[in-house]
């Protein structure tokens, strides 16, 4: 066994698999390919990869079903690749445990960045009392957020929202998930709260709130925190 | 117009209306009694049959001709209330009436048929013309990037040794540009077909208008543009409930249109206003504006300006209109008095100033 990071690609399109294999191998990942849902499930069970790239439109089974089956035992990151652009599909995949999604066509640079951040997220799972991402750092025990070592004055709700985002660095958190975790299950349709607090957080955290670099919007789906690479 | 309406009536209704008209006319003539000569009544009934022939199908016309001849004979030609005809003159009159009624009915019907065929031919010609325009612009817009991709990759595969590094990079950049252009055209076609099939349903949610506008400008500015875009929207702009994806597409297509069709250094300004239940976004530039006689046509599907120097499928602005209408709103275009074009989008919906309240 090599000690390179292994990535399983489940996609029925040979062109996409080739493109991914070349891109990933040239970036020193080990690539395993599966062209059907069945093959993907068997391969992932035999040699659990470090990360899975999953296409939603597979010939034998829908990617949603594959994801559900995978999540019964696989804890590594899963990134969805799909030509299906509907927000419902994306939200469904994220709710079913996907870490991230990319809509085809995508830039390979973007894909590599998402893979790196998903793999990093795996390391973040060990609970630490502090996290640093770019110029931002958070201390969970003291409930403080600093930017360039200056303490930012966040309200309690802003802090809860921000800590949720930063704990899931690189991962898309859906509107429903954020509303439920921060405000409670009764608030999942009160999206205006989320818009307001995201706007306020950006004013405090971003250099330019109109061109956010940390808290990114995933249109129609949710928000994602990225630390500067 | 009236023709269209009447043609849609069923045969039964046409028969009924024809009978009604003839009975009504003859009833009035009968009430007038001896004041109207029975020969005049014949002419009046003949006019009725002609009127019916002008609007109804052939069968009701023949029917009206027969029944009016019978009524005329029974009620008006002496002796009354019998189908017998008194004199030889009257017999000839009745026969002539019948022939004229039938002939005029058939002739009028035939003329209408010919007109109808001519109209169908014209409509077909227009459709063919529209399709030709569509195929020309579409095949141009799709084939140009495909040709670029095939040509450039072929070059890279077969002429590799002869190419300098900068030439190689240039070819790769062209492939990339062509793919994005192709992708955008496909997106437009998919949007259009979604609009055409009517399966598009707005998903309304609270939108941060500033965020959307700034994001769209970032997307537009990814491809190095030469125009200068300025956003003039207050930071405290209220949240507005609408379909974010559609609003983004509307803004993107208007901006993209401005980017493609205006000279470099053109200034593009974006403004937004929020009335209690209407969001109004204005996008204006100081370019050349639109020709006055074409300004109303640019939102039509596949329409391209007569003098258009740059390509395009004529889909972008028609999608803007389609999405604006799907949001129960509208989009307007005018030339500014100082030169340049101004697009105004108005979308009804809820607004929320929650954003400005102090929290906790």
């Amino acid at each position: 066994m090599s000690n390179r990071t292994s990535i399983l690609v489940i996609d029925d399109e040979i062109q996409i698999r080739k493109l991914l294999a070349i891109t990933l191998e040239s970036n020193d990942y080990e690539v395993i390919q599966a062209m059907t849902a069945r093959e993907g499930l068997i391969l992932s069970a035999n040699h659990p990869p470090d990360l899975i790239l999953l296409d939603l439109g597979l010939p034998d089974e829908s990617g949603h079903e594959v994801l559900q089956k995978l999540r019964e035992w696989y804890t590594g990151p899963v990134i969805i690749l799909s030509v299906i652009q509907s927000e419902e599909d994306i939200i469904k995949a994220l709710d079913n445990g996907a870490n991230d999604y990319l809509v085809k066509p995508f830039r390979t640079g973007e894909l590599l960045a998402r893979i790196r951040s998903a793999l990093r997220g795996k390391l973040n799972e060990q609970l630490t009392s502090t996290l640093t991402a770019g110029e931002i750092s958070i201390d969970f025990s003291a409930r403080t957020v600093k930017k360039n070592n200056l303490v930012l004055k966040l309200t309690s709700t802003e802090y809860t929202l921000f800590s949720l985002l930063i704990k899931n660095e690189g991962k898309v958190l859906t509107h429903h998930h954020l509303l439920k975790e921060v405000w409670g299950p009764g608030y999942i349709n009160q999206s205006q709260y989320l818009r307001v607090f995201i706007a306020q957080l950006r004013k405090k955290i971003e250099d330019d709130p109109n061109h956010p670099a940390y808290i990114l919007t995933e249109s129609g789906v949710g928000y994602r925190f990225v630390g500067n690479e | 117009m009236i023709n269209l309406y009447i043609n849609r009536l069923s045969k039964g209704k046409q028969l009924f209306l024809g009978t009604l008209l003839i009975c009504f006319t003859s009833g009035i003539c009968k009430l007038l009694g001896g004041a109207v000569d029975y020969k005049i009544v014949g002419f009046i009934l003949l006019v009725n049959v002609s009127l019916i022939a002008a609007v109804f199908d052939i069968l009701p016309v023949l029917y009206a001709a027969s029944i009016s001849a019978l009524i005329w004979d029974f009620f008006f030609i002496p002796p009354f209330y019998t189908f017998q005809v008194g004199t030889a003159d009257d017999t000839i009159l009745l026969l002539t009436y019948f022939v004229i009624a039938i002939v005029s009915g058939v002739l009028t019907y035939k003329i209408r048929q010919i007109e109808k065929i001519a109209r169908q031919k014209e409509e077909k010609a227009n459709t063919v013309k529209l399709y030709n325009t569509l195929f020309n612009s579409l095949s141009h817009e799709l084939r140009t990037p495909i040709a670029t991709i095939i040509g450039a990759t072929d070059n890279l595969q077969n002429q590799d040794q002869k190419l300098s590094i900068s030439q190689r990079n240039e070819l790769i950049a062209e492939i990339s540009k062509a793919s994005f252009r192709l992708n955008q055209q496909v997106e437009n076609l998919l949007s259009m077909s979604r609009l055409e099939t009517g399966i598009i349903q707005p998903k309304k949610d609270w939108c941060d208008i500033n965020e959307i506008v700034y994001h769209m400008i970032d997307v537009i500015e990814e491809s190095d543009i030469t125009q200068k875009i300025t956003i003039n929207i207050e930071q405290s702009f209220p949240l507005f409930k609408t379909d974010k994806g559609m609003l983004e597409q509307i803004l993107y297509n208007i901006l993209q249109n401005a980017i493609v069709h205006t000279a470099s250094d053109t200034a593009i300004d974006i403004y937004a206003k929020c009335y209690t239940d209407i969001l109004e976004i204005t996008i204006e530039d100081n370019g050349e504006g639109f020709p006055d006689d074409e300004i109303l046509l640019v939102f039509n599907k596949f329409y391209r300006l007569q003098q258009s120097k740059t390509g395009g499928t004529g889909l972008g602005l028609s999608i803007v209109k389609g999405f604006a209408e799907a949001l129960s709103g509208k989009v307007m275009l005018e030339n500014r008095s100082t030169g340049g074009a101004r697009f105004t989008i108005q979308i009804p919906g809820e607004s929320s100033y929650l954003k400005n309240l102090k929290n906790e």
Side-chain angles (χ1 to χ4, degrees):
Chain A
M1 279 291 288
S2 75
N3 51 5
R4 286 188 301 170
T5 308
S6 60
I7 295 178
L8 171 63
V9 177
I10 311 178
D11 196 314
D12 59 319
E13 289 289 342
I14 175 100
Q15 286 198 306
I16 299 284
R17 284 205 312 275
K18 261 192 184 158
L19 170 74
L20 290 174
I22 292 170
T23 311
L24 296 174
E25 274 164 8
S26 63
N27 280 276
D28 218 26
Y29 292 109
E30 184 194 340
V31 179
I32 310 149
Q33 299 182 29
M35 53 191 292
T36 59
R38 213 180 112 75
E39 201 184 339
L41 286 167
I42 293 172
L43 281 173
S44 56
N46 289 346
H47 297 285
D50 294 304
L51 184 143
I52 295 177
L53 294 177
L54 173 65
D55 178 35
L56 278 189
L58 293 168
D60 50 343
E61 222 175 338
S62 98
H64 290 297
E65 287 162 31
V66 178
L67 181 61
Q68 272 175 337
K69 287 182 188 167
L70 273 175
R71 276 300 178 229
E72 285 169 15
W73 55 272
Y74 181 73
T75 52
V78 177
I79 299 179
I80 301 292
L81 300 179
S82 173
V83 287
I84 303 167
Q85 223 173 348
S86 96
E87 288 155 8
E88 285 95 343
D89 263 310
I90 293 165
I91 292 169
K92 187 174 168 194
L94 292 170
D95 285 344
N96 281 342
N99 294 60
D100 206 342
Y101 71 93
L102 272 175
V103 175
K104 297 174 190 169
F106 49 81
R107 293 172 192 267
T108 48
E110 182 69 24
L111 173 69
L112 291 168
R114 301 286 182 93
I115 289 176
R116 279 195 296 274
S117 107
L119 290 168
R120 245 202 325 273
K122 213 177 150 192
L123 301 176
N124 279 353
E125 264 167 29
Q126 297 94 306
L127 275 180
T128 49
S129 65
T130 58
L131 271 181
T132 306
E135 298 165 336
I136 312 277
S137 63
I138 183 165
D139 185 330
F140 294 113
S141 52
R143 287 175 71 88
T144 52
V145 178
K146 287 182 189 169
K147 183 178 178 184
N148 291 327
N149 281 324
L150 292 171
V151 175
L152 299 174
K153 283 184 185 147
L154 299 188
T155 66
S156 152
T157 309
E158 284 168 0
Y159 173 83
T160 314
L161 178 59
F162 184 69
S163 64
L164 199 58
L165 285 164
I166 199 169
K167 266 185 218 162
N168 293 284
E169 188 199 332
K171 193 175 167 189
V172 190
L173 301 179
T174 61
H175 296 144
H176 279 196
H177 179 78
L178 287 169
L179 284 161
K180 198 172 100 191
E181 293 296 316
V182 179
W183 284 274
Y187 288 80
I188 54 169
N189 290 316
Q190 303 293 324
S191 58
Q192 72 267 42
Y193 287 98
L194 196 53
R195 298 283 182 284
V196 170
F197 277 88
I198 290 288
Q200 286 176 356
L201 263 181
R202 279 180 177 155
K203 274 181 204 153
K204 296 183 181 176
I205 283 159
E206 303 284 353
D207 294 337
D208 177 359
N210 288 324
H211 298 98
Y214 289 108
I215 303 172
L216 303 188
T217 301
E218 293 296 321
S219 204
V221 176
Y223 296 93
R224 167 209 308 278
F225 181 88
V226 290
N228 288 355
E229 298 206 344
Chain B
M1 282 325 268
I2 190 156
N3 253 352
L4 282 176
Y5 173 69
I6 290 169
N7 274 337
R8 265 190 273 124
L9 288 178
S10 69
K11 285 249 162 62
K13 276 188 183 152
Q14 291 190 7
L15 283 175
F16 174 73
L17 283 175
T19 318
L20 199 69
L21 179 67
I22 284 162
C23 289
F24 181 72
T25 319
S26 30
I28 286 183
C29 291
K30 196 72 195 165
L31 282 177
L32 292 173
V36 189
D37 187 72
Y38 74 93
K39 287 174 189 158
I40 304 293
V41 175
F43 274 102
I44 293 174
L45 286 175
L46 212 50
V47 171
N48 275 339
V49 175
S50 306
L51 280 178
I52 292 169
V55 287
F56 284 174
D57 278 334
I58 187 75
L59 209 70
V61 171
L62 292 178
Y63 168 77
S66 319
I67 196 165
S68 65
L70 291 176
I71 286 176
W72 189 41
D73 178 12
F74 194 78
F75 291 101
F76 296 96
I77 301 177
F80 297 152
Y81 310 119
T82 155
F83 288 111
Q84 280 173 355
V85 181
T87 65
D89 276 2
D90 284 347
T91 313
I92 294 170
L93 211 56
L94 180 62
L95 283 176
T96 323
Y97 173 92
F98 194 68
V99 171
I100 292 176
I102 298 283
V103 170
S104 78
V106 170
L107 279 184
T108 333
Y109 178 75
K110 271 199 171 164
I111 291 170
R112 275 175 44 226
Q113 285 302 95
I114 291 168
E115 270 179 4
K116 199 170 152 191
I117 291 168
R119 209 168 41 234
Q120 278 171 348
K121 266 191 186 160
E122 198 187 330
E123 275 169 16
K124 206 176 161 196
N126 280 341
T127 320
V128 170
K129 206 172 137 199
L130 183 70
Y131 269 98
N132 283 340
T133 327
L134 158 69
F135 278 122
N136 285 340
S137 63
L138 256 191
S139 54
H140 175 263
E141 281 303 302
L142 294 177
R143 281 197 176 130
T144 311
I146 293 173
T148 312
I149 294 170
I150 293 178
T153 45
D154 187 43
N155 228 332
L156 287 168
Q157 280 170 336
N158 299 321
Q159 313 283 320
D160 204 27
Q161 287 88 359
K162 296 179 199 162
L163 295 170
S164 69
I165 289 178
S166 77
Q167 282 173 323
R168 283 174 51 107
N169 290 341
E170 226 169 287
L171 284 178
I172 292 169
E174 284 308 314
I175 295 174
S176 167
K177 250 191 269 174
S179 326
F180 278 96
R181 183 170 164 193
L182 201 55
N183 190 38
Q184 199 190 324
Q185 294 306 344
V186 172
E187 287 297 321
N188 270 344
L189 282 171
L190 290 177
S191 295
M192 185 44 86
S193 71
R194 280 208 299 157
L195 278 168
E196 296 269 285
T197 49
I199 52 168
I200 205 155
Q201 275 299 336
K203 284 195 299 284
K204 296 190 178 175
D205 197 1
W206 292 103
C207 295
D208 186 333
I209 301 302
N210 260 310
E211 184 190 355
I212 292 177
V213 173
Y214 276 96
H215 174 66
M216 283 337 283
I217 305 302
D218 284 347
V219 172
I220 291 275
E221 285 178 343
E222 264 174 27
S223 48
D224 306 312
I225 60 166
T226 51
Q227 292 86 346
K228 178 156 176 33
I229 307 180
T230 315
I231 302 170
N232 311 281
I233 307 176
E234 291 169 32
Q235 284 300 323
S236 60
F237 201 81
L239 297 173
F240 195 81
K241 202 169 194 177
T242 190
D243 185 301
K244 187 177 176 186
M246 287 195 201
L247 183 58
E248 284 182 340
Q249 190 76 44
I250 289 173
L251 296 175
Y252 181 83
N253 281 14
I254 293 179
L255 286 167
Q256 189 62 30
N257 192 69
I259 298 300
V260 173
H261 296 286
T262 58
S264 53
D265 296 335
T266 302
I268 299 172
D269 277 277
I270 304 177
Y271 301 89
K273 277 187 207 143
C274 190
Y275 307 104
T276 37
D277 52 358
I278 288 182
L279 169 70
E280 182 181 282
I281 298 181
T282 311
I283 300 177
E284 51 185 45
D285 64 62
N286 62 355
E288 286 177 28
F290 286 80
D292 285 328
D293 52 340
E294 290 183 273
I295 204 159
L296 290 173
L297 302 172
V298 296
F299 291 110
N300 290 357
K301 196 168 28 150
F302 306 124
Y303 191 83
R304 292 162 67 197
L305 291 186
Q306 306 284 340
Q307 303 297 324
S308 179
K309 294 175 208 100
T310 37
T313 49
L315 277 177
L317 291 182
S318 63
I319 290 172
V320 167
K321 183 168 177 257
F323 277 166
E325 284 169 2
L327 293 173
S328 324
K330 56 184 173 181
V331 55
M332 290 155 288
L333 169 62
E334 60 192 328
N335 282 324
R336 299 167 66 197
S337 53
T338 50
R342 176 187 291 131
F343 284 90
T344 309
I345 308 136
Q346 286 181 345
I347 295 169
E350 271 174 84
S351 61
S352 163
Y353 276 93
L354 182 71
K355 200 173 167 182
N356 299 337
L357 297 175
K358 273 278 155 252
N359 302 283
E360 291 156 281

